Amino acid sequence: MAEAAGSREQLAAGRAPPDAAHRTEEEPEPASLDAPAGSLGRRRERRSGVSAVGTTERFPGGSLGPAAAAAAPDPDVCLLEAAKATPRRSSIIKDPSNQKCGRKKTVSFSSMPSEKKISSASDCISFMQAGCELKKVRPNSRIYNRFFTLDPDLQALRWEPSKKDLEKAKLDISAIKEIRLGKNTETFRNNGLADQISEDCALSVIHGENYESLDLVANSADVANIWVSGLRYLVSRSKQPLDLMESSHNTPRFAWLKTVFDAADVDGNGIMLEDTSVELIKKLNPTLKESKIRLKFKEIQKSKEKLTTRVTKEEFCEAFSELCTRPEVYFLLVQISKNKEYLDANDLMLFLEAEQGVTHITEEMCLDIIRRYELSQEGRLKGFLAIDGFTQYLLSPECDIFDPEHKKIVQDMTQPLSHYYINASHNTYLIEDQLRGPADINGYVRALKMSCRSIELDVCDGPDNEPIICNRNNMTSPLAFRNVIEVINKLAFFASEYPLILCLGNHCSVQQQKVMVQHMKRIFGNKLYTEAPLSSEAYLPSPEKLKMKIIVKGKKLPCDQDILEGEVTDEDEEAEISRRLSEDFSREPKLIWLCRELSDLVSLCKSVQYKDFETSMKAQNYWEMCSFSEAEASRIANEYPEDFVNYNKKFLSRVYPSAMRIDSSNLNPQDFWNCGCQIVAMNYQTPGPMMDLHTGWFLQNGGCGYVLRPSVMRDEVSYFSANTKGIVPGVSPQVLHVKIISGQNFPKPKGACAKGDVIDPYVCIEIHGIPADCTEQRTKTVQQNSDNPIFDESFEFQINLPELAMIRFVVLDDDYIGDEFIGQYTIPLECLQPGYRHIPLRSFVGDIMEHVTLFVHIAITNRSGGGKAQKRSLSVRIGKKAREYTMLRNTGLKTIDDIFKLAVHPLREATDMRENMQNAMVSVKELCGLPPMASLKQCILTLSSRLVSSDNAPSVTLCMKDTFPYLEPVGTMPDVQKKVLAAYDLMIQESRVLIETADITHDKIVQCQKAGMEFHEELHNLGTKEGLKGRKLSKAIESFAWNITVLKGQGDLLKNAKNEALENMKQIQLACLSCGLSKTGSGHTDAKSKRCLEAIQEKDTGDENGRL
């Protein structure tokens, strides 16, 4: 490590390392990561080739990239550019230690100017023949500048400078086995400078029988994609490379464009007016601007030295291809189509299964997708999807980032009401500020249509004995109570059939209270829930039981007093504003008169005042609820986070904004959701980041207005602190991988006029959840590109409590004065779909903006198994040295501690089994040249391409042993393949150990949990006998809850890990069958494999119905 560090320091300083004299002849001088490319000893004159769409980047240290090194810009300009790269926006992430707006230092070079988009394989080949500079990475922590080119005859890859013979400084295309994108070789993994190299700029060329690697770093992700796509194309067509350039205009896409042109060419002359061509392209791609299309035609005609208002068929096809080809989609198409320029049904099926996480996909389903999205008739008939149809498919709702399952009710709705977050509005009748805003009926219409399940009514005496709803700080524009009730009755269950809570602010005389009761009974009828709560119950009824019911929250007269009216305390939140602003502010509670009729309408949500948790836990009834001001709730959340969570397991809590928010600004709801507060009231009329979080959160669970809290916040005996800074006991952390690829059709920020139509966008990714998860990172700024800015940057976030996490994508315009908002999208982590997805951006007020999207790749890896099979079954390796075991705590109660000690060994066993399986899986992925986020199906696909000979005979065969899919070699094979098979065998063996022993270990953990729970009711007595009291007794009870939470959580994780292992075995077997690795000359093995697959499925089903 010391040597590597020293080497890095020397490279950074531009000095030669001590062993410079012992370099090979090929390596005259290592390149500094920060050194400009112009420092190369020998240069070749650059040839202008096809350029990638890129953006200007700078070295982290401020030095210029290779393309701009010769320009020697003014230092002042450099300073301005560096300043522009820094975000200028106030973060809504509170913990400054978690803010990561600045990127980690990575190798980053200037990209090429935007001359021409990559729209075909021939464009990639042209670029490679022109050549460009790449960094060559060596295992000894050195990086060298080299200029790489492709031979004119497309037979070899060459690089210079080199002291080797020119014939040796090359790599024959025929020797190439694989081309990998990313840092997926031993050289990258072991290189001391690997952390400074961008994942998206790295590529490796695997060659020779021993699978040696040529590891390179491009100056941008675009350039890396060009080399990967071009080389893959050449390798797959190594037998007929010379036909490449001739066939570039004979692709299915050009054939389709010619038919489109011919259909519009009414004269049949092969020439069309420019106006007609522009309209035709706009019809095919409505997002294009007319001015951009006309400019493209002028560019094409200028290159041909002609000036006319007419367009030929070839010019039309060329213009459409350049304007409508998104390079990032083209690279993806080539990658998944095995280097063709279209997808067939099998390509699409593998893409959907292995990359997009779609299960139970069939060939017919893929053909149906092709028929619906392919634009050419030929493609629809022959069953292939060309670039334009594939782009349309990726932009369709089928590839939306939001999981369609969550557009339905997916959560258990039979839990007590206190176990759910409830969509709530504050002062629903207001549509402006709190002080002078008039009451408006549209406030209720908007809230109810957005699935709000808790609305507020402040009722006062009105004229003609008719109660009114109004802002008592501004008595203008009052609303008749009767009219508001009628609107509520009409829309109460418009967006959700689950219960609606009316928070009644009663400021009426007894006489008008009786009128209120008459209106509610008459208009709501049997929707009004007035059943008296049962004292025999311990929890509130469930949302399922309260479907289509309206619940009144308010004050209630004592039930044991036979009185028609009486005095109760007034919780007047609105008047608090006036009292705080007045000099005679008093904390004395105000009393109001309440009639028995209105009191009787309140059943499940009786308002009571909070004193402290000790009093509440002893004396509060489950049907009583407290309201907390923002300041009070914040204080309690900071001082007593665990108690707040425990209190909210049984009782409803309502939090309302501070009285000082007279501008109707919003609090951060996440702060109170973390404590389990169910009803966090929001000012719906005020858009912004806080309302984005609120709206995004309640999109899940079918948008019904109720979201089930995590089990660790619901279970009667469990430990959870909202202020936790690390791993939550019993919950498996997950790693969220986000790649921001590109943006589409970004609008100019509203109110921005200084820069005309030019914007410089960047993307900020915010993670919201428990404090340990809150963080944000940002991409680089793309200069002057709103149509299709390419970002190509990858990020990783560890999420400790996934069920409470949200991700917010924000697009901003980088500006000297202040970064301006372009669009955002907020989504719960649980609703993310994996794979390549388009995000439909929303405006500042929350409206979807047409055709404005962000193209991303999402993967969620799980360090310890569990979760949804298609989204949570991925893994990353944790070494044994870094392995953390969740520890049990000492309660100080000997009898109980003796029970928990019995669980220590089973807990370690469970962790070891899970982690051993995950480590074995990651080893296989690494040897296959795949990143940790890859699926096992992708591993088998990669393996099969290596293990099948030229005559399609596999060098291994699938052999089922006791229902487990082993691979046995057929004949001899190279050592490198033996190494992969050994890693595969270890993965199967570790999976087998887990599957066969998980039940026994799980039973031991559950038995300890049950034995401990038998003492739950006796904790106080046991503590007293042991001499514990006060804080020590509370600590013992807390430790007991921690241990129970750990046992339950670790048992669940082991159960999920076994289910994951069983699913992996099925997927591996299916993949082997589909790749032809089970062919042995007879149908016997196939039949046996199918029987074993059925056995695995039966075993899986049996486990689900049995102990696990």
Side-chain angles (χ1 to χ4, degrees), residues 817-832:
I817 301 171
D819 298 344
E820 294 173 306
F821 178 89
I822 294 174
Q824 69 82 30
Y825 186 81
T826 308
I827 181 173
L829 185 78
E830 292 289 299
C831 298
L832 285 175

Side-chain angles (χ1 to χ4, degrees), residues 786-819:
S786 61
D787 296 331
N788 189 216
I790 304 292
F791 300 99
D792 260 328
E793 290 193 69
S794 300
F795 305 89
E796 284 187 7
F797 305 92
Q798 177 164 311
I799 311 295
N800 293 289
L801 187 54
E803 289 177 276
L804 269 187
M806 274 192 290
I807 179 169
R808 183 171 182 258
F809 301 90
V810 192
V811 182
L812 297 150
D813 180 18
D814 203 339
D815 191 77
Y816 292 106
I817 301 171
D819 298 344

Side-chain angles (χ1 to χ4, degrees), residues 803-971:
E803 289 177 276
L804 269 187
M806 274 192 290
I807 179 169
R808 183 171 182 258
F809 301 90
V810 192
V811 182
L812 297 150
D813 180 18
D814 203 339
D815 191 77
Y816 292 106
I817 301 171
D819 298 344
E820 294 173 306
F821 178 89
I822 294 174
Q824 69 82 30
Y825 186 81
T826 308
I827 181 173
L829 185 78
E830 292 289 299
C831 298
L832 285 175
Q833 287 210 94
Y836 292 90
R837 305 289 172 182
H838 278 92
I839 299 173
L841 293 180
R842 294 178 178 266
S843 68
F844 185 74
V845 296
D847 297 329
I848 292 286
M849 296 185 285
E850 191 176 17
H851 304 308
V852 181
T853 55
L854 200 59
F855 188 41
V856 302
H857 181 267
I858 300 289
I860 300 176
T861 60
N862 190 334
R863 301 195 312 174
S864 307
K868 298 180 182 178
Q870 74 272 28
K871 293 165 64 175
R872 307 282 188 250
S873 61
L874 310 172
S875 55
V876 291
R877 176 162 55 187
I878 302 176
K880 279 206 169 187
K881 289 183 180 178
R883 187 170 296 175
E884 294 181 4
Y885 297 97
T886 307
M887 305 302 292
L888 296 175
R889 293 179 178 178
N890 190 356
T891 66
L893 305 173
K894 186 177 184 307
T895 309
I896 296 175
D897 286 338
D898 288 344
I899 292 171
F900 287 139
K901 283 177 184 176
L902 297 175
V904 172
H905 184 65
L907 287 175
R908 290 184 69 92
E909 277 187 346
T911 302
D912 285 340
M913 283 191 288
R914 294 198 323 267
E915 301 295 356
N916 289 345
M917 182 185 76
Q918 304 298 346
N919 289 350
M921 288 169 61
V922 174
S923 293
V924 172
K925 292 173 186 178
E926 287 179 351
L927 289 171
C928 289
L930 295 172
M933 68 185 75
S935 67
L936 285 178
K937 183 147 193 170
Q938 289 170 312
C939 288
I940 299 300
L941 293 174
T942 303
L943 270 178
S944 68
S945 64
R946 298 183 189 178
L947 300 174
V948 175
S949 62
S950 56
D951 57 354
N952 289 327
S955 56
V956 299
T957 182
L958 176 68
C959 179
M960 300 303 298
K961 298 178 182 177
D962 301 324
T963 74
F964 289 93
Y966 287 88
L967 292 176
E968 291 192 347
V970 179

Side-chain angles (χ1 to χ4, degrees), residues 744-755:
Q744 290 74 47
N745 310 305
F746 290 164
K748 179 182 169 185
K750 286 192 175 179
C753 54
K755 296 196 297 181

Side-chain angles (χ1 to χ4, degrees), residues 1084-1101:
H1084 175 70
T1085 302
D1086 283 344
K1088 182 180 178 181
S1089 296
K1090 289 176 182 176
R1091 286 197 301 273
C1092 290
L1093 181 60
E1094 291 168 1
I1096 293 176
Q1097 289 169 336
E1098 287 173 9
K1099 190 174 185 179
D1100 195 2
T1101 306

